[in-house]
């Protein structure tokens, strides 16, 4: 808790740690409200440190010191000092020494879910980023890598399963007691944030995987009892991930066991602890009756993500937390590639870009903007952001685009060879990319250090006489907090010149010749590219495949956009042309300048796509969704009236639904579930299209649409169909939707993950008094402030999924969320601060909304003992 204004930590202050820890022996006496931890550390002065005879300052918080023994001698209180966040021993030997620390903690009282806590009656740990210091005193930073041995002792009856990192060594009973023990060994040195322990009455499913070199790895997924039959998809996904990392990156698993545990209380999605991944159970448990298609896809991707961390994050970790994107950006990139290889690459790319626009662009465009590698932070937990993760992944993808597939693989091999077992920096990673490819990436590096989304304007001119096409590009990044001046970036742009027949014309770049790869590189602020021998007037297709995370400000005529929508050989840009047109039409409606002929032309282009049997269902579904209300607000830029945005967007959807009535009906006819649910890509795509069609049909003809949705809901025999029907109903304020919500609750009252879905649906319900509904639900017996999933479903679901409700002009949405933030801050600051980021775009709004939001932010800041987490986020937003 804050006593004075929290101070930032700076990247430039990084110094090697004065002492290293070679090994750690931990002994846990597990009791829910008083666990004793004995830690035996082997330390030595760090030869790389510049300070000699420095005092030993160990991190520690919320733990109680019982005793301290240095090289066998008990230390007296006069020989050390215990602070709120540290333990200092002024005099330690200048040679290797051992320290034995006994502390106690209270897992049952740990509502922050950082350190050792209890979830569903199970002991579990979360140490990233700085949770290990809540277990024992330690040099709790990622460049301190040690070998761990863990011994756990607990009640045999209530805690039969004892797990930790690495390989199991030994277990047995404690004679004459009701307790037992187990010992685990992790042969790989690791930073403390990768430590994990799980102990409880867990059920499990097991399998084995044979690695590329023929070693058998035993796999286990541990869940609360009764959930064992919901682990099959997660297990399949794990084996797919292990195979893929061998095939695509030559990376083999390195321990004899790989375990996953699913717990119901978890701040994030999952955690890559060495050999013992811990998951939020919503990203493990699945069967057709409880999980949607999106759940299946997420489970597959998150299992892969955590597994891939074994090499990118664990074997090679981060020097300090400023380098977080080194492991996260790279691992997101790897999981995106995994999904692209397993499913449809085009569909994956489009959905990743949708996520980037929904989450990262708004961050980059507001008071929380920061570079993928930040240079300062107050609370590191606030930097697990879309910028670090998703923009970090985009940077890896751009390097792949720039140096090519082969050189990229060579660079990755070099990275593993050079830095295995080390705590590395972003510079070292990029050095591998340039060493392996021979390319100078020094200008490119600015992507890591500069915040803000660049916008690129493109102006093309075709000269029929000389058959030349001249393209002038200009890049610009608006100032972001703390970065007034921006440098030009090195931007790879996929490009096509599309001829009148829809085929790409050859790219003969002046001064270069025919391009082998359809790619140009923008490096200056303003640059002109001249293409020769362009036979016909081309339509420009730029940033193909979303080769760079920029805003393209191309000024194509409507006819050209419609042409690209129908003909671009790059599916991403086909979708993108549709998005640009959709955005223009919503903006026209917002400004009252809509032209019925434009809407008709847009609908006709959509019609062609829907009727084309060669186009896959998932792509059709994506084409049927207009840019989000958030994107429209960002395009307006200022003085936004969110009710009008909602109305304009829905108005266009109603009009489109009327134009497409026949097509939507035909989709409905042919997409019914033919048999038992299957999560394969084709079935997933078919259901996705069905749901997109239903959502539009409800907008087009409410009476008929509601009846269809209700019938679908009643007949549904899988959760995807059930949720698709309910989601469509949430769009309209009608009594049928309330009945359906009640029915859903009654059907699934005992499924905690389905109650989360019910909360989320409620949060998205459109119409007046949305905030009152939210407030009432926080008092519902099924809502729990201490369970992050409940908070995310109801409250983040409201902020992110109901922009009109959250931004209600009377301030009611802001008030209910500010109340929640204040209340949550005392329970779990990480969750509170994530919720607070929902205010990040309030500068875009009209003045009544802006001032209502400001008043709530001020009210939060006036709280007497605000956490560093919430203080950092709210003060940045309020002060901008
Ligand atoms: N490192 C985890 C991941 O991305 C995320 C995480 C961060 C989990 C902090 C818990 C705490 O895979
Ligand atoms: Zn990760």
């Amino acid at each position: 808790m804050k006593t004075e204004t929290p101070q930032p930590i700076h990247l430039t202050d990084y110094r090697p740690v004065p002492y290293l820890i070679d090994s750690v022996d931990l002994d846990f006496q597990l009791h829910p409200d008083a666990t004793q931890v004995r830690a035996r550390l082997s330390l030595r002065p760090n030869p790389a440190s510049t300070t000699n005879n420095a005092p030993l300052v160990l991190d520690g918080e919320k733990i109680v010191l019982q005793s301290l023994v240095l090289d066998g001698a008990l230390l007296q209180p006069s020989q050390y000092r215990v602070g709120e966040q540290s333990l200092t021993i002024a005099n330690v030997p200048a040679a290797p020494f051992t320290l034995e620390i006994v502390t106690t903690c209270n897992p049952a009282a740990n509502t922050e879910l950082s350190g050792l806590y209890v979830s569903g009656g199970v002991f579990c740990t979360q140490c990233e980023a700085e949770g290990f210091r809540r277990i024992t005193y330690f040099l709790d930073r990622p460049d301190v890598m040690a070998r761990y041995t863990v011994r756990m002792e607990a009640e045999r009856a209530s805690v039969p399963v004892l797990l930790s990192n690495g390989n199991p060594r030994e277990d047995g009973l404690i004679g004459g007691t009701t307790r037992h023990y187990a010992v685990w060994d992790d042969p790989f040195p690791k930073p403390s944030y990768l430590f994990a322990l799980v102990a409880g009455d867990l059920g499990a499913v097991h399998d084995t995987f044979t690695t590329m070199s023929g070693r058998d790895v035993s796999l286990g997924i541990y869940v609360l009892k009764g959930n064992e039959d919901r682990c099959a998809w997660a297990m399949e996904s794990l084996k797919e991930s292990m195979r893929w990392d061998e095939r695509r990156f030559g990376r083999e698993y390195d321990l004899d066991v790989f375990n996953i545990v699913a717990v119901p209380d978890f701040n994030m999605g999952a955690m890559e602890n060495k050999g013992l991944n811990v998951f939020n159970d919503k990203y493990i448990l699945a069967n057709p009756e409880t999980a949607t298609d999106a759940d299946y896809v997420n489970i597959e991707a998150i299992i892969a993500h955590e597994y891939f961390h074994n090499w990118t994050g664990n074997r090679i970790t981060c020097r300090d937390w400023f380098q977080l994107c080194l492991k996260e950006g790279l691992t997101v990139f790897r999981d995106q590639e995994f999904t692209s290889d397993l499913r449809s690459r085009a569909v994956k790319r489009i959905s990743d870009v949708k996520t980037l626009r929904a989450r990262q662009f708004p961050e980059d465009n507001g008071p929380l903007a920061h570079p993928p590698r930040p240079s300062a932070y107050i609370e590191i937990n606030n930097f697990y952001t879309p910028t670090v993760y998703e923009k970090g992944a985009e940077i890896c993808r751009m390097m792949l685009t720039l140096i090519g597939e082969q050189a990229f693989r060579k660079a990755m091999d070099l990275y593993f060879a050079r830095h295995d077992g080390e705590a590395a920096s972003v510079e070292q990673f990029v050095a591998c990319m340039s060493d392996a490819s021979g390319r100078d990436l020094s200008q490119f590096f600015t992507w890591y250090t500069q915040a803000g989304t660049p916008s690129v304007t493109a102006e093309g001119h075709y000269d029929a006489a000389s058959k030349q096409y001249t393209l002038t590009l200009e890049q610009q990044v608006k100032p972001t907090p703390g970065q007034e001046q921006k440098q030009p970036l090195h931007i790879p742009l996929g490009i096509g010149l599309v001829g009148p027949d829809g085929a790409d014309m050859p790219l003969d770049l002046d001064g270069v010749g025919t391009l082998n790869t359809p790619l140009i590189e923008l490096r200056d602020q303003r640059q002109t590219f001249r293409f020769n021998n362009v036979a016909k007037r081309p339509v420009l297709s730029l940033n193909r495949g979303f080769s760079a995370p920029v805003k393209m400000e191309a000024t194509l005529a409507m006819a050209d956009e419609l042409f690209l929508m129908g003909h671009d050989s790059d599916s991403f840009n086909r979708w993108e042309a549709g998005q640009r047109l959709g955005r223009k039409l919503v903006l026209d409606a917002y400004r009252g300048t809509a032209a019925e002929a434009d809407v008709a032309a847009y609908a006709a282009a959509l019609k062609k796509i829907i009727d084309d049997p060669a186009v896959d269902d998932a792509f059709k579904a994506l084409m049927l969704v207009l840019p989000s209300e958030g994107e429209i607000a960002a395009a307006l830029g200022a003085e936004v009236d969110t009710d009008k945005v909602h109305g304009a967007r829905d108005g266009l959807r109603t009009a489109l639904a009327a134009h497409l009535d026949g097509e939507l009906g035909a989709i409905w006819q042919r997409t019914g579930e033919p048999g038992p649910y299957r999560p394969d890509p084709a079935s997933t795509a078919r259901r996705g299209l069905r749901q997109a069609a239903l959502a539009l049909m409800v907008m087009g003809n409410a009476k008929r649409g509601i009846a269809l949705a209700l019938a679908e809901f009643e007949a549904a025999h899988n959760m995807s169909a059930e949720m698709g029907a309910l989601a469509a109903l949430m769009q309209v304020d009608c009594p049928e939707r309330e009945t359906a919500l009640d029915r859903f609750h009654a059907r699934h009252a005992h499924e905690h993950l389905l109650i989360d879905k019910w909360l989320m649906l409620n949060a998205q319900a459109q119409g007046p008094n949305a905030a009152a509904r939210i407030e009432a639900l926080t008092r519902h017996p099924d809502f729990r402030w201490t369970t992050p999933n409940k908070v995310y479903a109801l409250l983040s679901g409201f902020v992110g999924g109901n922009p009109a409700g959250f931004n209600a002009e009377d301030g009611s949405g802001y008030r209910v969320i500010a109340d929640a933030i204040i209340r949550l801050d005392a329970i779990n600051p990480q969750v509170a601060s994530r919720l607070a980021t929902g205010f990040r775009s309030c500068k875009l709004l009209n003045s009544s909304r802006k001032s209502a939001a400001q008043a709530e932010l001020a009210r939060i800041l006036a709280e007497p003992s605000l956490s560093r987490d919430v203080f950092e986020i709210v003060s940045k937003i309020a002060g901008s």
Side-chain angles (χ1 to χ4, degrees):
M1 293 295 142
K2 164 176 91 122
T3 41
E4 50 209 72
T5 306
Q7 292 305 306
I9 298 169
H10 296 276
L11 168 61
T12 50
D13 289 342
Y14 174 83
R15 298 289 177 276
V17 64
Y19 297 92
L20 295 175
I21 303 177
D22 293 317
S23 69
V24 183
D25 288 316
L26 295 168
D27 187 318
F28 289 85
Q29 296 292 328
L30 292 167
H31 296 277
D33 45 22
T35 286
Q36 189 196 72
V37 184
R38 179 181 302 270
R40 216 174 278 112
L41 316 180
S42 314
L43 294 113
R44 66 187 156 96
N46 182 1
S49 168
T50 47
T51 47
N52 289 322
N53 302 319
L56 177 65
V57 185
L58 300 177
D59 305 298
E61 63 188 39
K62 303 257 172 108
I63 49 179
V64 182
L65 182 66
Q66 305 296 339
S67 66
L68 198 54
V69 171
L70 199 157
D71 279 340
L74 182 71
L75 294 188
Q76 299 307 314
S78 61
Q79 295 173 282
Y80 58 83
R81 206 180 66 243
V82 178
E84 280 268 283
Q85 320 234 4
S86 63
L87 165 66
T88 306
I89 309 175
N91 294 302
V92 294
F97 62 99
T98 64
L99 196 61
E100 196 174 309
I101 310 166
V102 178
T103 53
T104 50
C105 60
N106 182 350
N110 182 350
T111 58
E112 289 112 305
L113 312 184
S114 157
L116 177 62
Y117 65 98
V118 179
S119 174
V122 173
F123 291 98
C124 82
T125 57
Q126 174 51 47
C127 293
E128 188 177 8
E130 299 179 332
F132 192 70
R133 63 187 62 186
R134 300 161 61 96
I135 294 173
T136 186
Y137 286 103
F138 205 74
L139 293 167
D140 192 12
R141 43 187 280 177
D143 57 349
V144 173
M145 297 176 80
R147 281 199 177 75
Y148 286 66
T149 307
V150 180
R151 184 178 180 284
M152 293 157 275
E153 213 179 286
E155 287 301 315
R156 208 173 52 181
S158 54
V159 189
V161 176
L162 301 172
L163 305 170
S164 191
N165 313 93
N167 299 314
R169 194 214 293 166
E170 164 189 349
D171 56 67
L173 305 178
I174 316 265
T177 73
T178 55
R179 294 175 73 81
H180 70 148
Y181 75 96
V183 181
W184 290 71
D185 250 338
D186 183 356
F188 294 96
K190 65 167 174 286
S192 50
Y193 81 86
L194 291 174
F195 166 79
L197 168 164
V198 176
D201 190 8
L202 294 161
V205 298
H206 295 282
D207 207 330
T208 57
F209 178 81
T210 306
T211 69
M212 59 203 270
S213 72
R215 279 188 312 103
D216 279 344
V217 180
S218 90
L219 311 176
I221 299 183
Y222 290 82
V223 291
L224 296 188
K225 286 254 171 76
N227 288 314
E228 294 87 340
D229 61 349
R230 300 187 190 185
C231 300
W233 180 252
M235 187 62 92
E236 277 318 302
S237 302
L238 174 58
K239 290 186 287 182
E240 286 287 358
S241 308
M242 297 178 87
R243 271 191 288 273
W244 183 88
D245 214 11
E246 293 184 344
R247 225 175 30 235
R248 177 86 189 260
F249 284 103
R251 294 296 116 196
E252 187 176 1
Y253 187 61
D254 52 9
L255 290 164
D256 303 334
V257 301
F258 186 81
N259 285 324
I260 290 177
V261 184
V263 294
D265 304 273
F266 201 78
N267 285 340
M268 309 280 274
M271 179 64 209
E272 69 262 24
N273 316 297
K274 183 78 186 189
L276 181 57
N277 290 358
V278 177
F279 273 63
N280 185 324
D281 63 357
K282 81 169 183 186
Y283 295 123
I284 292 291
L285 304 178
N287 65 23
E289 290 76 47
T290 59
T292 61
D293 290 318
D295 292 329
Y296 276 87
V297 170
N298 280 332
I299 290 168
E300 182 181 271
I302 296 175
I303 295 254
H305 179 96
E306 305 310 331
Y307 174 74
F308 298 156
H309 267 315
N310 191 56
W311 277 97
T312 50
N314 302 3
R315 290 287 288 256
I316 306 181
T317 193
C318 301
R319 188 192 74 168
D320 54 68
W321 290 120
F322 294 101
Q323 320 296 324
L324 184 57
C325 74
L326 174 68
K327 74 175 176 83
E328 294 305 347
L330 179 54
T331 304
V332 170
F333 166 76
R334 274 152 53 72
D335 84 55
Q336 292 176 345
E337 283 300 291
F338 166 77
T339 304
S340 306
D341 285 349
L342 253 64
R343 294 169 178 265
S344 154
R345 182 165 284 272
V347 167
K348 174 63 176 162
R349 189 64 187 137
I350 293 171
S351 49
D352 286 342
V353 172
K354 282 174 70 124
T355 312
L356 192 77
R357 286 186 176 146
R359 290 157 35 86
Q360 201 276 326
F361 278 24
E363 183 167 80
D364 243 354
N365 190 29
L368 301 181
H370 56 275
R373 187 177 67 185
S375 55
Y377 60 77
I378 289 178
E379 171 52 63
I380 186 57
N381 287 324
N382 285 331
F383 283 79
Y384 289 80
T385 60
T387 296
V388 167
Y389 275 67
E390 268 89 43
K391 191 170 179 180
E394 291 301 319
I395 297 178
C396 295
R397 183 172 302 285
M398 284 191 283
M399 288 196 278
L400 166 66
T401 304
L402 282 170
I403 73 180
E405 191 83 54
Q406 266 190 348
F408 187 83
R409 174 59 200 273
K410 224 174 104 194
M412 289 298 294
D413 288 347
L414 181 61
Y415 177 60
F416 294 124
R418 246 186 216 173
H419 298 293
D420 188 13
E422 291 180 6
S425 65
V426 171
E427 278 84 355
Q428 289 172 318
F429 174 63
V430 176
C432 293
M433 292 289 152
S434 51
D435 291 354
S437 65
R439 295 245 6 213
D440 178 358
L441 295 173
S442 44
Q443 184 191 1
F444 182 84
F445 198 81
T446 309
W447 278 104
Y448 280 109
T449 56
Q450 187 164 282
T453 307
S455 42
V456 175
T457 28
E459 266 194 50
H461 174 74
Y462 181 64
D463 183 49
S466 62
K467 303 242 177 289
Q468 278 192 330
Y469 181 73
T470 310
L471 177 63
T472 301
L473 300 179
E474 195 167 336
Q475 57 167 309
Q476 204 206 347
V477 187
K478 281 193 271 175
T480 55
Q483 276 188 343
E484 284 305 312
Q485 298 305 319
K486 300 291 183 181
Q487 305 302 314
L489 292 158
H490 181 178
I491 305 176
L493 293 169
I495 184 171
L497 299 181
V498 187
D501 59 352
D504 289 341
M505 296 190 281
L507 296 168
D508 178 359
L509 184 59
D510 201 40
V512 176
T514 303
L515 298 182
N516 298 325
T517 349
L519 186 77
I520 54 176
E521 298 180 25
L522 173 61
R523 308 183 68 144
D524 301 340
Q525 202 200 319
R526 189 185 161 87
Q527 216 170 315
T528 296
F529 299 83
R530 189 159 295 119
F531 294 92
N532 297 319
N533 302 310
V534 180
K536 302 265 168 51
R537 184 193 86 96
V539 177
L540 174 66
S541 173
L542 197 58
N543 204 23
R544 278 188 163 174
F546 204 69
S547 55
V550 301
K551 287 185 209 136
M552 283 297 319
E553 319 279 357
T555 41
L556 291 189
M558 176 134 183
D560 286 345
E561 297 282 27
L562 289 166
F563 176 77
L564 289 181
M565 229 176 123
H567 300 286
D568 200 321
S569 64
D570 182 71
S571 339
F572 180 85
N573 267 2
R574 247 186 120 171
W575 172 77
E576 184 78 320
Q579 291 291 292
R580 268 196 308 266
L581 267 184
R583 186 178 65 194
K584 171 199 154 23
L585 296 178
V586 178
L587 291 173
D588 286 350
Y590 182 95
R591 293 172 177 137
T593 58
E596 176 50 35
D598 289 351
V599 176
Y602 186 54
L606 288 174
K607 211 176 266 189
K608 272 200 208 124
I609 291 169
I610 294 170
D611 290 340
D612 185 348
V615 174
D616 94 69
D617 284 348
F619 186 79
K620 289 179 183 174
L622 288 164
M623 291 301 299
L624 286 178
V625 179
L626 290 172
S628 69
E629 288 168 44
E631 278 173 60
I632 303 301
L636 287 163
E639 293 297 323
V640 174
D641 177 339
T642 45
D643 287 327
K644 258 178 81 181
V645 170
H646 182 76
R649 184 172 179 276
D650 267 5
L652 178 58
R653 294 175 69 225
T654 301
L656 290 174
H659 282 284
L660 297 173
D661 192 57
E663 280 66 27
L664 297 174
I667 290 174
W668 194 251
Q669 289 309 314
R670 82 163 165 89
T671 54
E673 198 71 46
Y677 175 91
R678 277 184 230 296
D680 62 278
S683 313
T684 300
R686 170 175 44 74
R687 285 185 293 266
L689 179 56
R690 184 173 181 80
Q691 288 162 24
L694 181 60
L696 272 181
M697 287 193 282
V698 169
M699 293 312 301
N701 176 340
K703 192 148 170 279
R704 192 193 54 186
I706 289 168
L708 274 183
L710 279 178
E712 178 82 347
F713 172 68
E714 289 304 335
H717 56 75
N718 64 69
M719 189 43 59
S720 276
E722 215 170 302
M723 281 295 284
L726 280 184
L729 280 174
M730 291 311 112
Q731 305 177 102
V732 278
D733 190 6
C734 60
E736 291 89 342
R737 120 177 138 189
E738 305 308 320
T739 321
L741 281 170
D742 290 347
R743 297 258 303 124
F744 185 90
H745 186 274
R747 265 192 215 172
H748 305 300
H750 302 294
E751 296 283 355
H752 70 284
L753 294 177
L754 297 186
I755 293 302
D756 294 351
K757 293 193 193 305
W758 176 77
L759 290 169
M760 169 91 85
L761 286 165
N762 270 282
Q764 291 166 356
Q766 299 301 315
N769 306 321
R773 180 194 291 261
I774 301 301
E775 201 278 329
L777 283 169
T778 61
R779 285 181 280 106
H780 191 283
D782 286 339
F783 181 80
R784 266 200 315 282
W785 293 98
T786 48
T787 300
N789 283 355
K790 302 278 176 239
V791 174
Y792 297 150
L794 182 66
L795 301 168
S796 308
F798 178 59
V799 172
N802 194 344
F806 174 56
N807 297 295
E809 192 147 27
D810 63 2
S812 54
Y814 303 141
R815 202 169 317 118
V816 72
I817 294 302
D819 284 343
I821 291 167
I822 291 167
R823 178 160 187 167
L824 282 164
D825 199 35
I827 298 169
N828 187 332
Q830 284 188 49
V831 171
S833 122
R834 281 179 82 180
L835 191 56
T837 62
F839 283 96
R840 69 186 170 199
S841 297
C842 62
K843 293 292 156 343
L844 296 178
L845 304 175
N846 62 356
S847 58
S848 51
R849 289 183 168 87
K850 230 181 328 207
S851 52
Q854 282 296 349
E856 296 303 327
L857 293 169
R859 186 159 70 84
I860 297 170
L861 282 177
E863 282 293 307
S865 52
L866 220 49
S867 66
R868 269 186 306 172
D869 309 58
V870 169
F871 172 80
E872 179 172 36
I873 297 297
V874 176
S875 61
K876 280 179 180 172
I877 301 176
S880 65

